[in-house]
Amino acid sequence: MASLTIIPLLFLCTTLLILVFLPCYRADPDPLQDFCIADPKSGITVNGFACKAARAAQYSDFFSSAISKGGSTDNPNGSNATVMDATVFPGLNTLGVSMNRVDFEGCINPPHVHPRVSEVGYAVEGILYVDILSTENKLYSKILRAGESFVMPRGLLHFQYNMGPGKATQFVSFNSQKPGIVFAPQSLFGSKPEIPTEILAKAFRVDADIIEHIESKQWFK
Ligand SMILES: *[C@@H]1O[C@H](CO)[C@@H](O)[C@H](O)[C@H]1NC(C)=O
Ligand SMILES: *[C@@H]1O[C@H](CO)[C@@H](O)[C@H](O)[C@H]1NC(C)=O
């Protein structure tokens, strides 16, 4: 008998939990129309971009070759993320999705966070060491090969490292038209204006000259 009364209660609790927490799974607000092709020239500031008139939409607003080629990897990271967000693909405006292509010729996509969104990625080439750090400071890692996928939960620090002798390429998608990215090294050592050296020295418990040495690496800026 007891179980009969518990079942509806459990059902009610689960439904309530789902209803209360459902909005957490969305990053961007829901669209109110079929599409809203971004009009970057409109001069109106809204959450996203103002729409150009629906009748002015063209086939080219719904297609993009932004990530058909990778960007140059000739930089200190040896990697380049080619972004396909609503700023380069106006048709994405208000739809809550976007993609990047990340090419690794050398080694690393440094530790970073997408503050507003989760990310799901797919490796098409190479061997990548993919790592995710939880808020409990636990590191989840895997050596990812072509055809395999990963998910980066929203706001968690993560990085990728090319382990192979050759190139590695992955495509990643986000539940936002503009996910945003915060690189940990650049935030700490390349902010404008700079975080006072004394504070970083205390935070890392090292001498100030070690912080100054890191800050002197101009490519952070
Ligand atoms: C990434 O690739 C783009 C396109 O090739 C290039 O303009 C940009 O300078 C590259 N970034 C770095 C840091 O190499
Ligand atoms: C390389 O890493 C730094 C942070 O460590 C970042 O600021 C920069 O944008 C990265 N460059 C590319 C091309 O990803």
Side-chain angles (χ1 to χ4, degrees):
M1 279 308 279
S3 62
L4 279 181
T5 49
I6 282 172
I7 288 168
L9 198 66
L10 272 180
F11 179 73
L12 184 71
C13 289
T14 319
T15 313
L16 277 178
L17 276 177
I18 289 172
L19 286 178
V20 169
F21 289 110
L22 201 57
C24 302
Y25 298 114
R26 293 199 309 257
D28 292 1
D30 280 338
L32 300 175
Q33 50 225 328
D34 279 0
F35 50 80
C36 164
I37 310 297
D39 177 6
K41 286 184 260 144
S42 94
I44 297 171
T45 310
V46 290
N47 191 18
F49 296 101
C51 322
K52 73 180 189 185
R55 64 177 182 286
Q58 295 166 4
Y59 83 92
S60 55
D61 290 320
F62 299 97
F63 301 93
S64 170
S65 54
I67 53 173
S68 61
K69 287 196 214 87
S72 161
T73 49
D74 187 14
N75 61 59
N77 302 332
S79 71
N80 196 330
T82 309
V83 173
M84 189 172 70
D85 63 14
T87 56
V88 297
F89 189 175
L92 296 182
N93 192 36
T94 75
L95 300 184
V97 290
S98 61
M99 285 183 79
N100 281 1
R101 166 189 176 135
V102 193
D103 288 85
F104 300 80
E105 189 78 47
C107 50
I108 196 163
N109 189 9
H112 63 276
V113 164
H114 303 289
R116 297 184 284 275
V117 300
S118 297
E119 165 181 353
V120 58
Y122 178 76
V124 291
E125 183 185 15
I127 307 165
L128 282 168
Y129 178 58
V130 179
D131 285 68
I132 305 154
L133 201 68
S134 78
T135 56
E136 265 88 49
N137 230 9
K138 183 165 176 191
L139 192 70
Y140 298 87
S141 36
K142 171 156 169 63
I143 295 170
L144 207 77
R145 290 166 197 278
E148 295 182 318
S149 294
F150 60 83
V151 63
M152 306 296 185
R154 172 154 79 176
L156 296 191
L157 193 76
H158 57 274
F159 59 91
Q160 295 107 326
Y161 180 79
N162 181 7
M163 296 185 67
K167 286 169 60 172
T169 308
Q170 60 180 30
F171 288 86
V172 300
S173 53
F174 305 97
N175 59 327
S176 169
Q177 69 174 39
K178 200 166 183 298
I181 186 162
V182 179
F183 281 105
Q186 191 189 34
S187 304
L188 289 171
F189 302 109
S191 69
K192 289 180 193 127
E194 281 178 1
I195 300 176
T197 305
E198 192 190 329
I199 292 176
L200 289 176
K202 284 208 161 64
F204 284 88
R205 295 182 197 167
V206 294
D207 293 337
D209 56 349
I210 295 179
I211 301 294
E212 275 157 15
H213 175 71
I214 300 175
E215 283 172 343
S216 70
K217 307 283 175 194
Q218 284 304 313
W219 63 275
F220 276 134
K221 307 188 181 218

